[in-house]
Amino acid sequence: MLETKELILNMGPQHPSTHGVLRLVLKLEGETIVGTDVVIGYLHRGSEKIAENIPYFEFVPYTDRLDYTAALSSNLGYVMAVEKLSNIRPPERAEYIRVILTEFQRIAAHLVWLGTHAMDLGAMTVFLYCFRERETILDFFEMITGARLTINFFRIGGVPADLPPQFFARAWEFLETFPDRIKEYEALLTRNKIWLKRTKGVAVISAEDAIDLGLTGPSLRGSGVSFDIRRAEPYSVYDRFQFDIPIGEKGDVFDRYMVRVEEMRQSIRIIRQGLEQIPEGDLMTRVPRKLKPPAGAEVYVRIEAPKGELGFYIVSDGGEKPYRLKIRGPSFVNLQSLPLMVQGGLVADVVAAIGSIDVVLGEVDR
Amino acid sequence: MPTVVVEIIVVLVKIAVVFGAVALVVAYLTYLERKVIGHMQHRMGPMRVGWHGLLQPIADGLKLFTKEDIIPSQADRWVFFLAPVVSLVPAFIAYAVIPFDRNFYITHLNIGVLYILAVSSLGVYGIVMAGWASNSKYAILGSFRSAAQMFSYEIFLGFSLIGPLMIAGSLDLVKIVDAQSKVWFIVYQPVAFLLFLVAATAETNRVPFDLPEAETELVAGFHTEYSGMKFAFFFMAEYANMVIVGAMASVLFLGGWSGPVLPGVIWFFLKVMAFIFLFIWLRATLPRLRYDQLMYMGWKVMFPIAILNIVGTGLVIYLL
Amino acid sequence: MEPFFFFLFAAGAVISALLVISRRNIMHCALFLVLTFFFVAAIFVLLNAEFLAAVQVLVYAGAIMVLFTFVIFLVHIPRTEKIRRTFGQKNLALALGVFLGLEVAYIVYGAISAPASPAAAPVVQGGNTESFGVALFTRFLFPFEIVSVLLLAAMIGAIVLAKKEIDR
């Protein structure tokens, strides 16, 4: 009888759908996957080490480049960590501006995810539609911060600039029209038989396995675990907003897709409330020129980034530069679940799985 | 001049005209696809080369022509060289029997439909040879799957045609068009038409059945190792196949060249273009089926429906 | 004109067939076999059996040989393998070859020296697809059904064998 040999297939690091420089070594039997080795490190830039050599203020641009699709989220996590370390409270208006911009960033990051995920599975048009909306959001960012992608806007102690007057009208217009756009994307995908076939029951991960592996963010919520840091440990001014936490049921690609689409809708709700409630006030508290947090202080601050739990652990030795800065990148931990998800599946499912975990190699490799 | 020589010259001229027209249509089909998909995606497609990008296919052709011809060192030279040819030639010789108008065809075979099916079944060899000759894992996997997909769906294509053939009572394409002089077969055989549409999409490796060529999933499948003119041949073969399938659809279901006012050739062209527009629209809209789902759908869904269609048609013909 | 084309196709078929058994690269052998079938189909056309020619290309060259090439893919025979061993059957092969050669010579001689008989008239004016179909479903119905059952048995056998592999 003919024996089916084990075939080793190498995907990446240069591959159109591994979303960055990710390398997967797949062990196949026929077309079924029996083992996966995830090889990372191709984008390692030594961010954590660099942090030890520069003052706290100067590290903010480096956080942009972690999850480069959601720069403001990473900014937020870092400045909040340093603020907690040094007992600095930013003014209310600054907090509101931060939340509004971070939620816009969440939508922008999810649009990149949706566009690329759909395109990987063949639905090219969704990609262009998503990027059309993302352009509007990037225009907002440019209007307010001066940058589109690597934004570097939040500062330790607040924000450096206010929302310009022309922002509000355009933002309200966007909030009115965006839900219809989401309907457009869903019209092309959610009830499309082919999309359902490619995503339902594919790359399933159970809630227990997800929790065991440290999975966080929409990938965890897709498996039915209702854990969102904005609700569980509210930070900034999130406790003043009403929003739902969408969860899935089975933990397959489709559930993770639905969770993120719903999250975009919830972000719209938060932004609306933010724009309505935003108070007048200062933008920055007074922060010493040379910021020296107390020696021996250590802090771990985590936020709900678009990809999951983004954590910053900082140890201070009393100097201007951190003694140790550790970044818990959500994609790094989420990627661990990939081998379990694709075990027993087909090669074509690997593409769907990577897309559904929404990995960004900047966070994985730092 | 002896009549044989005149006949030969006439046939040669017809061949030249059809060949030229097909080559031009195939080249501009690439342009049409990019424009149509572009507009469906909220952008404009090629705009720079020539007015609104009309000279784009020529620029592309020149580019591919002047590209370096890379042959992998471990490749089987002869097979590598012949694979694109074997892909392209069947696509072109199928045009020999297509009637563009009542009296405008290269040749009149009484087994027209069978000839086209036979010739398209040879196109599979181009893919098989390409995969084999490239001697690379990706290419072999891709060509394997593409070949299996193509000839499975060829079977369904054939089966979906049996319905109209039963009604027309002949394999001769001209007679089939004549049999539709009152009602087009799409009215009598809507199920067969749908089956034909799906089978044709799979036959020509178009979305949602284009997994073997999906760049995002397996780099480029069976034509990974090809560059330059050879790659262009595969590309052209795919589009030429699309036009053939569109021509078959219009002859077998949409009444061929029949239509009021305008000359038959124009109607034929319009119907083929409508079909191709449908293909392009599908490409812009739908995601891609996984390979096992594609085969499942073919053998477990389409095949029974095709057989039921044949049985049903037979019953109706018997009873009427 | 006809004899010229006949000899052309016949020579093509014979040469391709010889190349099938003499190539070292197994994929080349398979492809030359396809070419052989193609030439045979051309000869069918010369005999006015167009339906048969089309079916020959469609089924034999277009489907069965593709399956052959699939097997070649799966088994992955190294290309430079030279098969020189004759398994101790050289003498038997030689004897059989001579015997068959004599048979062929006998038949050809008989055909050349016999009086020329009129070429078989085309069976039905309407085209041989119809005549083929009619004959198949009336005179040859029984063999047709037997062949169908045989094919069904072969399919079931193949599925059972493959299923065992999958279950394992």
Side-chain angles (χ1 to χ4, degrees):
Chain A
M1 280 296 183
L2 288 171
E3 285 278 330
T4 41
K5 285 190 308 197
E6 219 180 56
L7 179 72
I8 306 261
L9 190 68
N10 185 44
M11 265 177 93
Q14 260 187 339
H15 193 275
S17 43
T18 53
H19 289 233
V21 281
L22 175 66
R23 181 174 168 211
L24 292 177
V25 181
L26 302 168
K27 290 202 232 339
L28 305 173
E29 248 190 44
E31 250 202 66
T32 319
I33 300 174
V34 293
T36 316
D37 274 326
V38 182
V39 183
I40 56 176
Y42 291 92
L43 197 52
H44 180 68
R45 297 151 292 176
S47 308
E48 296 178 359
K49 183 65 186 171
I50 290 177
E52 295 173 14
N53 295 321
I54 55 175
Y56 289 92
F57 303 110
E58 293 187 20
F59 188 67
V60 183
Y62 288 90
T63 60
D64 285 335
R65 282 133 177 102
L66 293 174
D67 177 1
Y68 37 77
T69 62
L72 285 173
S73 288
S74 318
N75 283 171
L76 181 66
Y78 176 68
V79 300
M80 276 174 55
V82 179
E83 284 165 4
K84 186 157 175 205
L85 191 65
S86 331
N87 267 313
I88 298 174
R89 285 220 61 206
E92 277 224 7
R93 187 173 174 84
E95 298 262 45
Y96 271 87
I97 292 179
R98 281 181 179 177
V99 168
I100 291 171
L101 286 178
T102 307
E103 289 304 314
F104 265 122
Q105 182 73 89
R106 187 182 310 273
I107 298 176
H110 282 347
L111 284 172
V112 174
W113 158 78
L114 184 58
T116 52
H117 186 40
M119 188 160 74
D120 284 342
L121 293 180
M124 303 190 293
T125 308
V126 178
F127 177 73
L128 284 144
Y129 287 178
C130 287
F131 270 67
R132 183 188 51 192
E133 269 65 73
R134 185 175 151 89
E135 278 303 307
T136 319
I137 299 183
L138 295 183
D139 281 342
F140 290 157
F141 289 156
E142 200 181 358
M143 193 196 296
I144 304 168
T145 72
R148 284 161 50 100
L149 191 71
T150 49
I151 301 178
N152 180 26
F153 186 59
F154 301 153
R155 302 278 178 270
I156 300 173
V159 295
D162 204 349
L163 302 172
Q166 61 266 40
F167 167 72
F168 291 91
R170 288 179 60 176
W172 282 111
E173 193 189 314
F174 179 79
L175 294 174
E176 291 303 310
T177 58
F178 189 61
D180 287 328
R181 298 278 177 267
I182 302 185
K183 282 214 197 98
E184 250 181 53
Y185 315 144
E186 289 217 85
L188 278 173
L189 295 176
T190 307
R191 285 205 307 265
N192 184 327
K193 277 271 158 50
I194 300 180
W195 180 257
L196 291 174
K197 275 203 169 152
R198 287 303 296 271
T199 58
K200 273 216 177 263
V202 170
V204 178
I205 189 161
S206 67
E208 297 83 47
D209 284 332
I211 298 176
D212 284 344
L213 287 168
L215 201 59
T216 52
S219 310
L220 175 67
R221 296 195 276 281
S223 297
V225 180
S226 178
F227 178 69
D228 185 325
I229 300 175
R230 296 174 290 174
R231 185 53 59 76
E233 283 179 15
Y235 52 92
S236 193
V237 289
Y238 276 104
D239 47 359
R240 307 192 196 174
F241 299 129
Q242 295 236 12
F243 57 98
D244 297 324
I245 313 285
I247 56 172
E249 281 169 51
K250 284 193 298 219
D252 56 14
V253 172
F254 184 74
D255 281 338
R256 294 192 278 274
Y257 155 77
M258 285 308 293
V259 164
R260 290 194 180 94
V261 169
E262 235 351 89
E263 274 188 13
M264 287 201 278
R265 292 200 175 99
Q266 296 304 316
S267 291
I268 295 279
R269 267 177 90 177
I270 298 177
I271 298 175
R272 223 179 229 137
Q273 293 167 60
L275 286 176
E276 284 164 3
Q277 295 175 19
I278 186 169
E280 298 297 324
D282 290 331
L283 299 171
M284 284 272 271
T285 52
R286 298 217 69 215
V287 174
R289 295 214 82 204
K290 292 191 186 221
L291 180 66
K292 295 189 188 170
E298 53 181 47
V299 71
Y300 178 70
V301 166
R302 54 185 185 164
I303 65 165
E304 184 73 27
K307 312 279 188 288
E309 172 183 327
L310 173 64
F312 286 89
Y313 174 64
I314 311 183
V315 178
S316 161
D317 60 356
E320 284 189 284
K321 312 175 185 166
Y323 176 72
R324 170 80 173 111
L325 170 69
K326 155 93 183 135
I327 304 170
R328 184 223 190 258
S331 299
F332 178 73
V333 184
N334 294 350
L335 200 52
Q336 288 183 98
S337 61
L338 185 68
L340 190 60
M341 278 185 191
V342 299
Q343 182 77 9
L346 300 173
V347 177
D349 293 335
V350 175
V351 173
I354 297 179
S356 75
I357 304 180
D358 194 9
V359 239
V360 168
L361 269 297
E363 277 184 331
V364 173
D365 291 334
R366 284 154 277 146
Chain B
M1 240 205 249
T3 39
V4 169
V5 179
V6 171
E7 266 181 43
I8 293 183
I9 294 184
V10 166
V11 166
L12 284 176
V13 167
K14 278 195 202 166
I15 292 178
V17 166
V18 171
F19 188 86
V22 169
L24 201 64
V25 168
V26 163
Y28 272 89
L29 213 55
T30 58
Y31 171 76
L32 184 73
E33 172 155 55
R34 288 171 71 172
K35 271 301 203 189
V36 170
I37 292 188
H39 282 272
M40 285 182 177
Q41 292 176 343
H42 211 71
R43 58 188 177 90
M44 295 201 290
M47 289 291 284
R48 287 188 177 271
V49 190
W51 184 76
H52 275 240
L54 272 171
L55 292 177
Q56 185 72 43
I58 304 190
D60 284 337
L62 272 174
K63 178 200 82 166
L64 285 167
F65 203 69
T66 54
K67 261 205 171 168
E68 181 189 348
D69 199 18
I70 304 177
I71 302 184
S73 59
Q74 296 300 314
D76 185 337
R77 296 192 83 92
W78 271 108
V79 176
F80 191 81
F81 176 73
L82 282 176
V85 177
V86 170
S87 234
L88 190 60
V89 169
F92 271 88
I93 61 179
Y95 287 96
V97 290
I98 301 218
F100 303 101
D101 200 343
R102 180 171 300 283
N103 296 312
F104 184 13
Y105 43 75
I106 297 183
T107 179
H108 188 183
L109 283 183
N110 58 1
I111 47 154
V113 173
L114 211 57
Y115 170 81
I116 299 183
L117 286 175
V119 147
S120 3
S121 71
L122 291 176
V124 183
Y125 279 107
I127 298 177
V128 163
M129 289 163 73
W132 171 265
S134 309
N135 208 25
S136 99
K137 244 185 304 204
Y138 284 121
I140 291 184
L141 263 179
S143 78
F144 196 88
R145 298 204 294 203
S146 184
Q149 174 189 315
M150 272 181 92
F151 80 61
S152 302
Y153 277 85
E154 246 163 47
I155 298 177
F156 310 140
L157 196 73
F159 269 83
S160 73
L161 292 177
I162 292 184
L165 289 177
M166 283 167 86
I167 302 181
S170 165
L171 287 168
D172 184 343
L173 289 165
V174 178
K175 291 215 183 81
I176 293 175
V177 176
D178 280 334
Q180 294 180 63
S181 49
K182 299 227 190 65
V183 184
W184 288 355
F185 283 161
I186 188 175
V187 176
Y188 286 149
Q189 294 271 312
V191 175
F193 180 68
L194 282 169
L195 283 173
F196 181 83
L197 188 62
V198 176
T201 323
E203 232 333 78
T204 47
N205 274 331
R206 295 283 297 181
V207 173
F209 303 104
D210 70 338
L211 195 68
E213 337 182 310
E215 305 112 19
T216 55
E217 314 227 12
L218 215 52
V219 188
F222 62 88
H223 49 74
T224 312
E225 307 286 337
Y226 281 89
S227 60
M229 209 55 205
K230 300 201 180 76
F231 177 74
F233 269 27
F234 278 119
F235 219 59
M236 277 168 65
E238 179 180 321
Y239 284 101
N241 270 320
M242 257 168 71
V243 180
I244 286 273
V245 142
M248 279 177 87
S250 78
V251 165
L252 283 153
F253 292 99
L254 296 175
W257 66 76
S258 57
V261 181
L262 297 166
V265 189
I266 306 271
W267 274 116
F268 186 80
F269 182 72
L270 285 174
K271 289 173 193 173
V272 173
M273 279 300 142
F275 217 69
I276 291 180
F277 177 75
L278 192 62
F279 273 158
I280 297 179
W281 196 357
L282 284 174
R283 181 170 185 204
T285 317
L286 294 175
R288 181 182 295 132
L289 268 181
R290 209 172 60 197
Y291 184 69
D292 61 318
Q293 293 164 342
L294 182 164
M295 294 301 259
Y296 180 98
M297 195 187 80
W299 287 100
K300 291 203 188 171
V301 174
M302 283 182 63
F303 196 55
I305 295 181
I307 296 194
L308 282 174
N309 184 46
I310 295 174
V311 170
T313 311
L315 270 175
V316 170
I317 292 183
Y318 180 68
L319 292 173
L320 287 179
Chain C
M1 272 309 234
E2 252 198 54
F4 166 68
F5 280 116
F6 172 74
F7 280 113
L8 183 66
F9 295 144
V14 168
I15 296 177
S16 306
L18 283 171
L19 285 170
V20 171
I21 52 177
S22 63
R23 292 294 94 198
R24 266 188 238 156
N25 184 334
I26 195 163
M27 184 53 101
H28 291 181
C29 300
L31 292 173
F32 277 119
L33 191 56
V34 175
L35 197 60
T36 313
F37 292 146
F38 215 73
F39 280 121
V40 171
I43 297 179
F44 283 151
V45 172
L46 286 176
L47 290 171
N48 282 320
E50 298 112 14
F51 181 76
L52 209 56
V55 170
Q56 163 93 345
V57 172
L58 181 60
V59 174
Y60 224 150
I64 295 182
M65 285 309 298
V66 175
L67 292 172
F68 269 57
T69 53
F70 272 18
V71 174
I72 297 176
F73 271 179
L74 288 173
V75 176
H76 238 303
I77 299 175
R79 292 189 298 178
T80 51
E81 195 176 287
K82 295 188 214 183
I83 307 178
R84 282 257 183 259
R85 298 156 58 195
T86 51
F87 302 98
Q89 295 170 337
K90 205 151 74 166
N91 296 321
L92 184 61
L94 204 59
L96 269 176
V98 168
F99 179 63
L100 282 171
L102 287 173
E103 258 195 84
V104 172
Y106 177 70
I107 295 174
V108 171
Y109 179 69
I112 292 179
S113 55
S117 53
V123 180
V124 158
Q125 289 301 82
N128 51 67
T129 312
E130 287 182 50
S131 56
F132 200 87
V134 166
L136 200 61
F137 284 103
T138 50
R139 273 178 64 196
F140 299 103
L141 181 62
F142 190 58
F144 179 66
E145 294 295 336
I146 299 272
V147 170
S148 311
V149 173
L150 203 66
L151 282 171
L152 186 64
M155 268 200 288
I156 295 178
I159 293 175
V160 168
L161 283 173
K163 192 170 181 300
K164 258 202 286 212
E165 276 276 322
I166 297 173
D167 286 344
R168 197 156 48 86

